[in-house]
C-alpha cells in the first residue's frame, strides 16, 4: 500500500472518530488495513454526538470529499437497503464547490485539444458560470463566432476519486468479511456498482454520447430542446456544448395561467415519453438542470446521469404501473416478488395484505394522490421485507418524485397523477399493439427454429449420455386409448376457452381505450370481438352438453 493511500485511510479513520463512529471502526476492523502508523486524530466532536446517526453519516461524507458525497447521494436512492430516516438525511448530502484557484484554463484546453487555445477560441471566460465537485463550466466563443459552454474536469480529480474507490473497496472487503450485518448489504457489490457509475461520470466522452442520443431523440420536438455537442472539441476531460438560452425552472415566471399549464404539460409529456417510450431518460432533473425557453419549451442540461431501460424493463414498469392504478394488490405483490433481486417474503399473503394497505390510497381521485407519499409508503414495505428491487425502478421513482416537487413549486394544485390517465391508455394499447405482438411472435418463432437447429446435437448428447449409462428410460403404457381421447377433448375445450377469454380481454381493452373506428362511441373492433366470443361461447356450451348426452347414452 502506498504512503498516500495509508495516510488517506488514517484521515478517514480520524473523521469517523470525530463523528463518533468508533463502533463501526471496531466492527469493520478497518484499522487492519493500515500497514504503517499514520497520524490519527482522536478528537471527538461532542456537539456532533448529540445528532442522529444518519445526520452524522451525512456530515462525515461531506467532510471526506466528493467521492463520499456521491456515494451518499446514490445510497439515498436505495430505500430497499436503508431505513427511511437515513434515505431522507443522505438526500441532503452536498459539497459546496468553489472554483479551482489559480487554474490556467487556457493551458488545460490547449493540452486537451493538442493546439493553442487561442487558435480554437476567440474568447474563454476565466470565471466559471457553474462549479461542481468534478468539473466547472466556462463560457467560450469559437473562432467562427459560435457560443459554447466548456465543461472542464478539475485537475487531479480522477486520481483522487480512483484512490478513494480503491480504499472503499478495501473497507467494503473488511466489512463483508468481518461482520454478518454488513455482509447482508453486499458492500463489495455496491462499491463495484458505484465505481462503474463514477468512471462513467468522469468520462466526458460517455456524457457526450448521452447528449448526442438525447438530442437525436428530441431534435424534431417543438416542446423539448437540448444542447448539441461538438465532438471534435470534446475529450475525456473536456466537453464542448452548444450554449443554451433560457431561465432556470426555479426562477421562471409564467406570463399567464395558460403558459404555465402548457409548460407543465410539456414537462410531463417529455418525462413519460423518455421513460415509457424511449427508455432513455434524464435521471437528475433538479432545477439547475432544466431551463424554460420561450413558448414554454423545456431545455435539459447536464447529461452525466441518465437512466436506460431495456424493452423488458419498460414492460415490467408499465405492468407494475398498470397494476398499481388498478389497485390489484395480488398482482402487485407477485410482480414485485418476481422481479426482486433478493427478498425475505416468506408469506405472500402477508406481503399482499401490506400492499393492499398502501393501494388503499388510490381509492379516491387520482388528483388527490401525492406520489412522494405513496412511494414513501411503498418503500417502507419494501424495506420491511428486505426486497432488493432492480436499480432502474428506484431511478424512475426518484425522477417522478423530483418531477412532482418541481411541479408543485410552479403550481400548488399540480398533481403528476392527473397526467397518468393518457399514459395509462398508451400502456394498455401498447400491450395489445399488433406490431409488438408480431415482434414477440417472430422472436418466439426464431427461438423455436434455433431449438430445431440444435435438436440433432441435443439428441447426440442424449445418446452419449445413454451410452455412458447416465440416461435410462423404461416406460410401458397399456390401455390408455380412451384416456388419450378424454385428454384430447379436454385440451380442445381448454384451448377454445383460452381463445374466447383472449378475445374478450382484447375487446375490453379496445373498448376501454376507445380505439377507432367508432360507431355511436362504440369501437367496431371491440363490438365484433364481443359478438365473436359470444358465438364461440355458445358453441362450446352446446358441445359440452352434446358430449355429456353421449356419455349418458353409453
Amino acid at each position: 500500500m502506498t504512503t498516500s493511500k495509508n495516510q488517506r485511510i488514517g484521515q478517514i479513520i480520524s473523521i469517523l472518530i470525530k463523528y463518533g463512529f468508533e463502533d463501526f471502526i471496531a466492527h469493520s476492523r478497518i484499522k487492519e488495513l493500515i500497514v504503517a502508523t499514520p497520524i490519527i486524530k482522536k478528537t471527538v466532536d461532542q456537539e456532533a454526538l448529540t445528532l442522529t446517526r444518519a445526520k452524522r453519516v451525512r456530515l462525515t461524507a461531506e467532510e471526506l470529499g466528493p467521492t463520499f458525497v456521491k456515494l451518499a447521494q446514490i445510497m439515498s436512492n436505495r430505500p430497499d437497503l436503508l431505513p427511511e430516516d437515513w434515505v431522507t438525511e443522505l438526500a441532503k448530502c452536498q459539497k459546496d464547490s468553489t472554483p479551482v484557484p489559480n487554474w490556467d484554463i487556457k493551458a488545460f484546453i490547449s493540452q486537451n485539444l493538442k493546439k493553442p487555445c487561442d487558435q480554437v477560441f476567440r474568447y474563454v471566460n476565466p470565471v466559471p458560470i457553474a462549479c461542481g465537485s468534478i468539473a466547472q463550466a466556462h463560457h467560450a466563443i469559437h473562432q467562427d463566432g459560435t457560443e459554447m459552454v466548456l465543461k472542464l474536469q478539475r485537475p487531479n480529480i480522477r486520481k483522487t476519486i480512483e484512490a478513494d474507490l480503491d480504499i472503499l473497496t478495501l473497507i467494503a472487503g473488511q466489512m463483508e468479511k468481518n461482520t454478518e450485518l454488513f455482509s447482508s448489504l453486499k458492500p463489495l457489490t455496491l462499491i463495484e456498482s458505484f465505481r462503474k457509475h463514477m468512471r462513467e461520470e468522469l468520462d466526458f466522452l460517455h456524457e457526450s454520447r448521452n447528449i448526442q442520443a438525447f438530442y437525436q431523440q428530441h431534435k424534431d420536438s417543438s416542446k423539448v430542446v437540448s444542447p448539441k455537442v461538438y465532438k471534435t472539441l470534446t475529450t475525456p476531460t473536456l466537453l464542448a456544448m452548444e450554449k443554451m438560452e433560457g431561465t432556470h425552472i426555479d426562477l421562471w415566471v409564467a406570463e399567464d395561467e395558460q403558459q404555465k399549464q402548457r409548460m407543465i404539460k410539456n414537462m410531463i409529456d417529455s418525462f413519460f415519453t423518455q421513460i415509457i417510450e424511449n427508455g432513455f431518460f434524464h435521471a437528475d432533473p433538479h432545477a439547475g438542470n432544466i431551463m424554460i425557453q420561450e413558448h414554454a419549451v423545456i431545455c435539459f442540461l447536464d447529461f452525466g446521469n441518465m437512466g436506460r431501460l431495456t424493452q423488458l424493463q419498460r414492460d415490467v414498469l408499465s405492468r407494475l404501473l398498470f397494476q398499481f392504478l388498478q389497485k390489484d394488490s395480488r398482482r402487485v405483490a407477485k410482480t414485485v416478488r418476481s422481479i426482486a433481486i433478493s427478498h425475505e417474503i416468506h408469506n405472500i399473503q402477508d406481503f399482499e395484505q401490506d400492499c393492499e394497505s398502501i393501494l388503499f390510497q388510490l381509492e379516491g381521485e387520482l388528483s388527490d394522490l401525492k406520489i412522494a407519499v405513496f412511494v414513501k409508503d411503498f418503500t417502507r414495505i419494501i424495506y420491511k421485507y428486505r426486497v432488493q428491487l432492480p436499480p432502474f425502478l428506484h431511478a424512475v421513482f426518484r425522477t417522478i418524485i423530483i418531477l412532482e416537487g418541481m411541479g408543485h413549486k410552479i403550481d400548488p394544485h399540480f398533481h403528476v397523477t392527473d397526467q397518468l390517465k393518457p399514459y395509462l391508455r398508451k400502456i394498455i394499447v401498447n400491450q395489445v399493439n399488433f406490431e409488438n405482438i408480431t415482434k414477440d411472435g417472430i422472436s418466439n418463432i426464431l427461438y423455436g427454429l434455433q431449438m430445431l437447429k440444435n435438436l440433432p446435437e441435443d439428441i447426440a448428447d442424449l445418446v452419449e449420455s445413454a451410452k455412458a449409462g447416465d440416461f435410462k428410460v423404461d416406460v410401458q403404457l397399456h390401455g390408455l386409448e380412451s384416456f388419450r381421447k378424454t385428454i384430447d377433448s379436454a385440451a380442445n375445450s381448454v384451448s377454445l376457452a383460452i381463445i374466447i377469454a383472449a378475445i374478450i380481454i382484447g375487446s375490453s381493452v379496445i373498448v376501454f381505450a376507445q380505439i377507432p373506428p367508432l360507431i355511436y362511441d362504440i369501437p367496431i373492433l371491440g363490438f365484433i370481438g364481443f359478438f365473436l366470443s359470444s358465438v364461440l361461447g355458445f358453441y362450446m356450451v352446446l358441445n359440452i352438453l352434446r358430449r355429456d348426452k353421449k356419455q349418458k347414452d353409453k
Side-chain angles (χ1 to χ4, degrees), residues 164-180:
D164 279 348
L165 288 171
D166 288 342
I167 291 170
L168 279 169
T169 302
L170 291 172
I171 293 173
Q174 285 290 98
M175 290 165 63
E176 202 160 296
K177 183 171 60 177
N178 293 307
T179 309
E180 186 178 343

Side-chain angles (χ1 to χ4, degrees), residues 7-17 25 30 60 64 68 164 167-168 171:
Q7 289 173 342
R8 178 60 169 158
I9 294 176
Q11 182 185 21
I12 291 170
I13 292 173
S14 297
I15 294 173
L16 287 171
I17 291 173
I25 295 169
I30 61 174
T60 300
L64 285 172
F68 292 84
D164 279 348
I167 291 170
L168 279 169
I171 293 173

Side-chain angles (χ1 to χ4, degrees), residues 236-276:
T237 55
L238 187 156
L239 179 60
M241 300 169 286
E242 177 185 8
K243 186 177 186 294
M244 306 301 287
E245 301 294 338
T247 305
H248 282 286
I249 193 168
D250 56 336
L251 303 174
W252 181 76
V253 179
E255 295 175 0
D256 51 39
E257 184 65 24
Q258 186 178 8
Q259 188 186 52
K260 181 199 294 183
Q261 295 306 320
R262 185 166 65 250
M263 190 282 289
I264 289 175
K265 186 178 186 306
N266 289 348
M267 184 168 63
I268 296 294
D269 285 348
S270 169
F271 271 103
F272 278 100
T273 299
Q274 290 174 46
I275 293 169
I276 300 295

Side-chain angles (χ1 to χ4, degrees), residues 420-527:
L420 285 179
K421 291 178 181 178
Y423 280 93
L424 177 59
R425 179 176 294 179
K426 277 189 179 183
I427 290 169
I428 295 170
V429 172
N430 191 56
Q431 295 296 317
V432 294
N433 182 278
F434 180 75
E435 183 181 347
N436 290 340
I437 292 172
T438 303
K439 282 181 181 177
D440 290 342
I442 292 173
S443 176
N444 289 331
I445 290 170
L446 291 175
Y447 180 69
L449 291 174
Q450 185 64 38
M451 288 182 66
L452 287 173
K453 180 182 175 182
N454 295 336
L455 189 59
E457 187 177 337
D458 292 339
I459 291 173
D461 290 341
L462 288 174
V463 170
E464 288 298 322
S465 297
K467 287 180 178 178
D470 298 329
F471 180 78
K472 293 181 180 180
V473 178
D474 185 12
V475 179
Q476 293 182 358
L477 300 174
H478 302 284
L480 294 179
E481 184 60 26
S482 60
F483 180 70
R484 184 188 65 79
K485 288 180 179 179
T486 303
I487 292 296
D488 286 345
S489 177
N492 290 335
S493 297
V494 170
S495 299
L496 184 58
I498 290 172
I499 292 170
I500 293 171
I503 294 173
I504 292 172
I505 292 169
S507 301
S508 301
V509 169
I510 290 171
V511 171
F512 177 79
Q514 290 289 289
I515 298 173
L518 306 176
I519 295 181
Y520 299 110
D521 293 330
I522 299 174
I524 295 175
L525 292 176
F527 176 78

Side-chain angles (χ1 to χ4, degrees), residues 521-535:
D521 293 330
I522 299 174
I524 295 175
L525 292 176
F527 176 78
I528 293 172
F530 282 128
F531 177 75
L532 182 59
S533 61
S534 299
V535 172

